[in-house]
Amino acid sequence: MIEVMSTTSCLVTPWGEDLPEIPLPEYPRPMLRRAQWRCLNGPWRYAVTPMTDVGSSGAAEPHVEAWDGDILVPFAIETPASGVERALNPNEFLHYEREVEIPRAWRGRRIAINFEAVDYRCAVWIDGVLVGTHRGGYLPFSVEVPDSGRETIRVRVGVVDPSDSGRQQRGKQALAPTTIWYRATSGIWQTVWMEPLPDNPLTGVRVRTHDDLETIELLVTTRSEGVPVKGVIELPEGDDLAFECISGAPRSIRIPDARPWTPDDPHLYRLRIETEDDEAESWFGIRTVKISDPAPKDALSKEKCRSGQGRCILLNGRPFLLNAPLDQGYWPESGMTAPGEDALAFDLRTMKEMGFNGVRVHIKVESRRFYHLADRLGLVLVQDAVSGGKAPLNIKMSGVIQALDVSSPDRSRIFAWRTGRNRIEDRREFLSEWVATIRHLEAHPSILVWVPFNEGWGQFDARAVDALTRANDPTRLVDAASGWFDQGASCGDFRSRHRYVLKLVAPTHRDPRPYYLSEFGGLNLAVEGHTREGLLPFGYGFHDDAESLARALTSLYREQLIPLASKGLTAATYTQLSDVEQETNGLVTYDRRIVKIDSALVARLNSELRTAFAQANPA
């Protein structure tokens, strides 16, 4: 049966306080496509004024004396692509406005305007009426048009963003970029669109696969549950499989001659559903992911059993080496917003050509198109939560942690103070956004692993957050504390470590979990003419030319990484897919014009790694 959490979750902290009633914001329907919609990207008027309140209860629309010009949505105000390219300071208020024409056939109907991402706190007015507020810079939300009977409406959006002067979820954004921290993203930075809706619309489709790889549990949701639903699943041979169900109630369906989703065969089943009031299309993949059981003691030595050897990821019941480089998703002209779908496809296809089978989406929630491309192209995803709070260690101390492989309990008030999570409201906001992130993305078969915390940034009580993650999605793996500040063998599915500069080492014999080398590499080559001007390149050791870089990567693989395949390694994340601003350790340059290492060489090295893994983990 599908386990569906209520719209609230409860977590008990070590300080004896409850965090009940974590509200999940209403957001646009994930993995549903309707026939009617209209994009609202393009030029909007904008103005930047001194700080005012953002959408407090009954707040009037702020007065704008004069507009500063046009801004191109969906690009953040800090980016060249926006046409503005200026910082938004924490004491400033960013205004957007445009007139929107209501299609004649939609007038008088219920109409939703959907914002895919607005960073960070915003309010929306339509014709001077406050219609919604939202906190959080990475998740979608919706507002409704109060009077859709007119030809045009005037939409106003107001935004404030403290960036790294606040404790909210912001990833690597910084007002003063340096080392591994990048230019801030403020305001609208993903697509804005609108659609007509019935009174009781379809709100989601969730599919979970049984271990037999031929039966699915399908859950269709509507705003008000208990609605009869008719559906059709398109089969690979061209036939249709019809079914009926009730919204809000799971339905078991057997798929004849089921075709499991894998990176080598990323088959997606198309799905059409309808109620008396609504109809939409969706898709799903049939796949399972687990950690294998420990091998029998007579098959492996006690030492190997203790060290995680013989345990690995199972994709559809077969041993699977997850090989997913770090993907931070930044572009020089457009920041965190991809300049277009071709840019997203280039990154994913390049990784596939290099012999990788996925990417780690690093402390960012990407656009819907990104996840759909990963589903279609067959790239598995490790999905990070967006980090907030603060980093408990500087760069140098992080190196000490790597060298000594020490950890620290994360349930104390002192630890929460070090990571910027000492306030209950900050912890509650993180938990709400993390659960909403899982709900938003869980329908994508490409996602195999959730990562709530990275390198201690904003970390608190990883054991409880691990449990919360599994309660909301028991079908995926969890890397509970990527990098360090691991909370022991009973927290998370992996022994997860980051390792830069220092030699790669086998995991300790005391940990029964399989090994995830969740960040390593970081080999640097700054290509002249393809770096961001005015920034001092940052990295963990530089190479002067492509030949030197290729030799270093070959040595890293053959002398250090590949030998770990026989010692419990089941997943690896090389840093990184592309250069980002001053960080020049990408496989391709920041502008994506130069592939620094021959793709065929990287593919050969990854093939050697897969072979070594297959020998250590026979199917």
Side-chain angles (χ1 to χ4, degrees), residues 426-566:
D426 293 333
R427 298 192 295 274
R428 178 179 284 125
E429 185 170 352
F430 169 80
L431 295 171
S432 175
E433 292 182 17
W434 179 227
V435 172
T437 299
I438 294 170
R439 296 288 185 83
H440 174 50
L441 299 178
E442 67 175 320
H444 293 279
S446 53
I447 298 176
L448 298 191
V449 181
W450 299 116
V451 185
F453 295 121
N454 178 75
E455 294 186 351
W457 303 340
Q459 183 173 328
F460 64 97
D461 203 352
R463 288 178 180 272
V465 178
D466 178 23
L468 180 69
T469 304
R470 296 176 194 278
N472 280 276
D473 183 5
T475 70
R476 288 182 172 90
L477 306 177
V478 181
D479 182 5
S482 181
W484 43 81
F485 297 132
D486 185 4
Q487 298 304 297
S490 61
C491 182
D493 288 301
F494 305 99
R495 178 177 179 82
S496 174
R497 294 294 186 271
H498 297 178
R499 192 86 173 175
Y500 292 112
V501 181
L502 302 167
K503 184 178 180 179
L504 305 183
V505 295
T508 175
H509 294 162
R510 297 186 302 273
D511 197 329
R513 297 169 296 178
Y515 186 30
Y516 181 7
L517 187 57
S518 43
E519 286 185 32
F520 77 104
L523 303 178
N524 279 262
L525 174 62
V527 181
E528 185 176 355
H530 298 275
T531 59
R532 187 175 168 193
E533 295 183 3
L535 296 176
L536 182 66
F538 170 81
Y540 308 102
F542 288 84
H543 295 269
D544 295 328
D545 52 48
E547 291 76 15
S548 174
L549 182 66
R551 287 194 300 270
L553 183 69
T554 301
S555 174
L556 178 64
Y557 260 73
R558 289 178 175 163
E559 297 175 16
Q560 299 184 48
L561 180 64
I562 292 173
L564 294 179
S566 63

Side-chain angles (χ1 to χ4, degrees), residues 275-339:
T275 66
E276 184 178 358
D277 299 325
D278 200 6
E279 61 182 74
E281 290 184 327
S282 187
W283 60 92
F284 64 90
I286 293 178
R287 66 109 185 91
T288 60
V289 58
K290 295 182 178 181
I291 296 294
S292 63
D293 294 329
K297 289 185 178 181
D298 57 355
L300 288 174
S301 68
K302 290 182 179 180
E303 181 177 291
K304 286 185 176 181
C305 287
R306 286 198 303 269
S307 68
Q309 295 179 50
R311 303 195 72 191
C312 63
I313 294 172
L314 297 178
L315 179 63
N316 301 328
R318 301 176 65 84
F320 179 73
L321 173 69
L322 193 159
N323 192 1
L326 201 72
D327 180 10
Q328 308 209 59
Y330 280 77
W331 285 264
E333 67 272 40
S334 54
M336 291 203 304
T337 312

Side-chain angles (χ1 to χ4, degrees), residues 187-220:
I188 300 172
W189 67 277
Q190 290 288 3
T191 290
V192 184
W193 55 288
M194 67 178 184
E195 61 179 341
L197 295 174
D199 289 336
N200 189 19
L202 292 159
T203 57
V205 175
R206 297 169 187 159
V207 174
R208 291 176 178 172
T209 306
H210 287 200
D211 288 344
D212 63 8
L213 290 175
E214 60 182 21
T215 306
I216 63 169
E217 291 284 349
L218 173 71
L219 178 68
V220 178

Side-chain angles (χ1 to χ4, degrees), residues 305-384:
C305 287
R306 286 198 303 269
S307 68
Q309 295 179 50
R311 303 195 72 191
C312 63
I313 294 172
L314 297 178
L315 179 63
N316 301 328
R318 301 176 65 84
F320 179 73
L321 173 69
L322 193 159
N323 192 1
L326 201 72
D327 180 10
Q328 308 209 59
Y330 280 77
W331 285 264
E333 67 272 40
S334 54
M336 291 203 304
T337 312
E341 184 167 326
D342 288 347
L344 294 173
F346 171 83
D347 281 0
L348 296 177
R349 288 193 174 113
T350 299
M351 294 303 98
K352 194 107 178 178
E353 290 170 5
M354 288 184 171
F356 297 106
N357 58 21
V359 295
R360 178 181 171 191
V361 184
H362 195 41
I363 55 177
K364 177 189 178 186
V365 177
E366 277 287 1
S367 68
R368 295 175 195 250
R369 294 304 300 170
F370 173 91
Y371 296 100
H372 185 50
L373 282 170
D375 290 342
R376 286 171 45 199
L377 295 174
L379 272 296
V380 299
L381 302 179
V382 177
Q383 177 64 52
D384 291 6

